Amino acid sequence: MEEKKEWYLEYEIHQNRPGLLGDISSLLGMLSINIITINGVEDRRRGMLIRSKHDDQITRFRAILDTIENITVRKFREPRLRDRLAVMHGRYIERDADDKKTFRFVRDELGLLVDFMAELFKKDRHYLVGIRGMPRVGKTESLVAASVCANKRWSFISSTLLRQTVRNQLADDELEEGHIYIIDGIVSMMRASEKHRMLVDEIMRLPAVKVVEHPDIFVRESSYTLDDFDCMIELRNDEKEEITYEVVESGFSSFDIS
């Protein structure tokens, strides 16, 4: 039995006449293509996830779409993570124009951020995520929420969420699959002992998801580089906020209570 395949369609609306969506939905129904989700994804654009059993149904649908006035097809492909999240939340995640592995969020988009990270966390694999942001912007809370959504357990290797946490060893059950390891780059590299750093090195070698807060300080004070990271996330209170570490010294700073 042939498996059903999913596709992502995004089209721009030039004239939103009455019945336009109904016409497209009816066309999908006649071709036995199922609609999974529909949403507006940008200004005057609509995205939908669809599912079909036969590729020829999609080929015919794509050809007919090109004859429909008032719309222009912008994307028609197998869905990527950003496509799925765009349909769920009604907007695309902003990605750095020069560094395609860097994704940007503001505090008002914490729901979108949590869903994005949860998808990254679901697979048991070596995957290193860096997350930049000023104190009290919601970094650690989002990481915990995303771990819950991904049905994963999380372990703070170092943190300042409630009080400063610096671990020197892991419990046996923390080495099992399904764990997310969270490291505060400032605490681990500027506040901790050599024994703690040895634990960090051990964790970095594990085939698991690791998340490093303040990755720029982490790489500055260690042998790791930004190229070691598979994904970089930036979280700001607003789009204009600058992420800076000028206050980070060897003594106390606002980053100690982030």
Side-chain angles (χ1 to χ4, degrees):
M1 184 176 178
E2 192 171 352
E3 284 189 11
K4 290 187 176 181
K5 189 174 180 180
E6 292 187 1
W7 300 84
Y8 175 70
L9 164 65
E10 183 179 309
Y11 59 88
E12 183 175 358
I13 303 170
H14 303 296
Q15 182 182 352
N16 195 11
R17 61 171 175 77
L20 177 61
L21 179 58
D23 290 346
I24 295 174
S25 300
S26 298
L27 176 60
L28 287 165
M30 288 187 289
L31 292 170
S32 299
I33 300 173
N34 298 323
I35 299 173
I36 304 171
T37 313
I38 303 176
N39 201 354
V41 293
E42 295 292 348
D43 183 40
R44 300 190 68 81
R45 290 198 183 191
R46 182 172 286 131
M48 60 174 67
L49 288 175
I50 58 178
R51 184 183 292 132
S52 67
K53 186 181 292 186
H54 305 291
D55 287 347
D56 63 330
Q57 295 170 323
I58 293 296
T59 302
R60 292 165 62 195
F61 175 57
R62 181 71 174 84
I64 296 171
L65 280 180
D66 289 335
T67 69
I68 298 178
E69 297 181 357
N70 306 321
I71 71 168
T72 299
V73 175
R74 296 301 184 189
K75 297 181 178 70
F76 204 124
R77 62 196 181 199
E78 292 186 39
R80 305 168 184 173
L81 173 57
R82 292 177 73 229
D83 298 332
R84 296 183 185 278
L85 293 174
V87 174
M88 288 173 59
H89 292 270
R91 65 170 298 275
Y92 266 98
I93 296 170
E94 182 182 349
R95 186 160 61 175
D96 189 282
D98 298 318
D99 182 4
K100 296 299 184 182
K101 68 180 181 182
T102 297
F103 300 88
R104 294 173 174 164
F105 299 83
V106 295
R107 186 171 174 81
D108 288 345
E109 301 167 335
L110 287 184
L112 177 57
L113 172 59
V114 168
D115 285 343
F116 175 66
M117 291 195 296
E119 292 298 321
L120 299 180
F121 293 173
K122 284 180 179 179
K123 294 182 181 179
D124 289 319
R125 54 178 173 163
H126 169 76
Y127 199 80
L128 183 58
V129 179
I131 180 165
R132 298 179 174 118
M134 297 302 288
R136 296 176 296 280
V137 73
K139 300 183 299 298
T140 308
E141 296 88 337
S142 298
L143 292 173
V144 171
S147 300
V148 173
C149 290
N151 197 28
K152 295 293 183 72
R153 293 169 290 175
W154 65 93
S155 292
F156 287 112
I157 308 306
S158 56
S159 175
T160 58
L161 181 61
L162 298 176
R163 57 183 176 81
Q164 182 162 290
T165 298
V166 178
R167 303 281 300 278
N168 291 326
Q169 62 183 23
L170 295 179
D172 290 341
D173 64 344
E174 290 180 298
L175 292 170
E176 297 174 356
E177 287 188 353
H179 252 86
I180 308 295
Y181 300 98
I182 303 173
I183 299 167
D184 185 304
I186 295 175
V187 174
S188 287
M189 295 297 122
M190 300 185 68
R191 311 279 193 267
S193 65
E194 184 62 28
K195 190 172 183 181
H196 171 80
R197 287 197 181 201
M198 291 173 63
L199 175 62
V200 170
D201 288 338
E202 177 186 343
I203 289 168
M204 294 290 279
R205 291 191 293 267
L206 292 176
V209 177
K210 284 83 63 172
V211 184
V212 177
E213 297 185 52
H214 315 304
D216 301 286
I217 301 298
F218 184 78
V219 302
R220 190 188 76 186
E221 303 292 331
S222 71
S223 60
Y224 299 100
T225 71
L226 291 177
D227 289 337
D228 293 323
F229 287 81
D230 299 288
C231 175
M232 195 67 67
I233 294 168
E234 296 180 353
L235 178 59
R236 293 173 169 82
N237 284 295
D238 58 71
E239 293 179 357
K240 296 181 180 179
E241 183 179 51
E242 180 183 0
I243 299 173
T244 176
Y245 298 100
E246 292 178 0
V247 297
V248 178
E249 303 293 342
S250 58
F252 179 82
S253 79
S254 59
F255 281 90
D256 289 309
I257 53 173
S258 59

